[in-house]
Amino acid sequence: MDRMAGIWLGSYFAQRGWGLKVKLQDALFNWLQMHIVLEARPDDEAARETRDFFTVILQEDHLISNFHIIDEEDSIAIQIAYEQEGVSKVQQFDRESAEKLLEDINSNPKYNNQ
């Protein structure tokens, strides 16, 4: 991630009162949203950089490893399985909320030419 992107993201978090450490649930949800966007738009470098940013937050700030989506066929929820300090855990998110960012991007002509 380039320096300007890092500065922008830091400012974004500060404006929302997130401080320097993003809550685990927020980091997982943001990672999930960017994962969904990147699957649909594999050439979207901004999405890739943002997903990678949240990957670092999950790994370094929350000591998360082996995180991945499970049961992608569920029409109501998306689950992320992960390990935190050797303990296997699962976090569930509403599918509609998780897919909202991709829907917003796709509905905005400004972002449809990648």
Side-chain angles (χ1 to χ4, degrees), residues 59-75:
Q59 292 171 334
E60 293 182 2
D61 291 357
H62 297 288
L63 306 175
I64 299 292
S65 62
N66 302 324
F67 49 97
H68 58 279
I69 297 173
I70 56 174
D71 193 17
E72 293 192 50
E73 301 303 316
D74 187 333
S75 64

Side-chain angles (χ1 to χ4, degrees), residues 4-16:
M4 290 307 295
I7 291 170
W8 180 86
L9 284 169
S11 173
Y12 177 84
F13 293 138
Q15 289 171 2
R16 282 152 184 78

